[in-house]
Amino acid sequence: MTATATAARTGPPAPSGPEAPAAPPAGRRVLRAGGLLLGAVLLAAVVLASIAVGAKAIPLDQVWHALFGWTGTADDRIVRELRLPRTVLGVAAGAALGLAGAVMQALTRNPLADPGLLGVNAGASAAVVTAISVLGVTSFTGYLWFALAGAGVAAVLVNALGGSRAATPVRLALAGTAVNAALFGYVNGLQLSDLGALETMRHWSVGTLAGRRGDLLPAALPFLLAGAVLALTLARPLNAVALGEDTARSLGARLGRTRVLSIAAITLLSGAATAVCGPIGFIGLMIPHAVRAFCGPDNRWLFPYCAVFAPVLLLGSDIVGRVLVPPAEIEVGVVTAFCGGLLFIHLVRRRKVAQL
């Protein structure tokens, strides 16, 4: 049988390259699924530790009793009224920050990117500090709306300065850096000019889970869920963006739409998380790097990994802050900033060495 007849019977050869990415082997998929399961188990263990560990250690059997057999004892009140809301908010905020960081790095194709790069955290912080100092807002629920508005305005401003539909990852990064510098200068100036509200703003601006009430999550949850769903649906288009803009266009990716939706997802996730616990940095930088070694660069796996492992890091950092200087606490934002700063220095040095 001739080659022509064979080709006519079997059809043209399957395309190779970006048009038809090879599916990962079955063993690789099993390992990835196993990693997600391991992350869920680890998250459950950290959640229990977050409820049990603190200035007063509570045995696990008493934790179980407080959760499912409430009798109003002192330990029951500590678990149900203080540590459980704190832990649940930590899980939600950690997942949001991890997802936002993964989307940011995929959008800018920059492994050093963090949600703060687009000015989203700075915009949320500026809006909340303005609400505290100028408008006298004191409720945590009120912070949510100002944080979301500030994050949205900052994201739109950065997108406009970066060139809107003609924006490139580099121009977006530069615009975000400029907006960050301006907004954080405004925040610092406003704090120094209003000494009466300085203590409240100082406690909020470092990022903490302490003192957060359980009624915050129902208010923030619709925004967090919308941002998470949007981020997960963008995994495939952002895979195409990772191949380069020209290749992404040849694959049919709509770059303008993907960029706008990605910024919307980052705004919802970072804005809501900042509203409930303050501007906690570096979670979005550390987690994508940590999990990429196990799940690879495919965003369809990377995003779920970040959503599972980021709360582990956030709650773990919160636990460390509780036990280092008892009975006082170190805010979780301080712990993550210390760890993230070391990682950032390591990544920058490694990239410099790679360029030599």
Side-chain angles (χ1 to χ4, degrees), residues 16-17 47 87 175 183 189 210 218 260 263 268 306 316 332 340:
S16 57
V47 165
T87 300
L183 289 178
V260 169
I263 293 175
L268 289 170
C306 289
V332 64

Side-chain angles (χ1 to χ4, degrees), residues 88-89 92 144 215-228 268-269 272 276:
V88 173
L89 285 175
L144 172 64
D215 60 351
L216 287 179
L217 187 58
L221 191 59
F223 303 99
L224 293 173
L225 288 177
L268 289 170
L269 293 168
V276 298

Side-chain angles (χ1 to χ4, degrees), residues 107 117-120 151-168 171-176 179 255-264 267:
L107 176 66
L117 184 65
L118 285 188
V120 176
V153 170
V156 171
L157 178 61
V158 169
N159 188 52
L161 292 176
S164 190
R165 292 185 178 181
T168 64
R171 293 177 66 180
L172 280 175
L174 292 175
V179 170
L255 296 182
R257 177 176 177 270
T258 299
R259 186 175 292 114
V260 169
L261 292 179
S262 297
I263 293 175
T267 299

Side-chain angles (χ1 to χ4, degrees), residues 234-325:
L234 289 170
R236 189 181 294 272
L238 287 173
N239 276 343
V241 171
L243 300 174
E245 294 190 5
D246 293 337
T247 304
R249 289 191 181 94
S250 68
L251 294 174
R254 301 169 62 181
L255 296 182
R257 177 176 177 270
T258 299
R259 186 175 292 114
V260 169
L261 292 179
S262 297
I263 293 175
I266 295 168
T267 299
L268 289 170
L269 293 168
S270 297
T274 302
V276 298
C277 58
I280 298 177
F282 290 106
I283 294 289
L285 173 67
M286 290 186 282
I287 287 300
H289 280 281
V291 303
R292 204 173 273 122
F294 300 97
C295 66
D298 188 346
N299 292 319
R300 292 172 297 179
W301 286 96
L302 180 66
F303 289 179
Y305 263 75
C306 289
V308 171
F309 281 93
V312 174
L313 175 61
L314 183 60
L315 289 179
S317 300
D318 188 45
I319 293 171
V320 170
R322 294 185 221 173
V323 302
L324 278 182
V325 288

Side-chain angles (χ1 to χ4, degrees), residues 41-118:
V41 173
L42 185 59
L43 178 59
V46 174
V47 165
L48 288 177
S50 177
I51 297 175
V53 176
K56 179 182 180 181
I58 300 178
L60 291 180
D61 60 340
Q62 184 60 39
V63 170
W64 182 269
H65 177 270
L67 293 176
F68 302 103
W70 167 270
T71 57
T73 65
D75 287 346
D76 288 350
R77 289 194 296 272
I78 291 174
V79 170
R80 294 281 289 271
E81 298 175 6
L82 298 178
R83 294 187 184 174
L84 182 60
R86 177 176 186 160
T87 300
V88 173
L89 285 175
V91 172
L97 293 173
L99 265 176
V103 174
M104 172 68 69
Q105 293 183 14
L107 176 66
T108 62
R109 304 197 302 275
N110 183 355
L112 302 180
D114 182 78
L117 184 65
L118 285 188

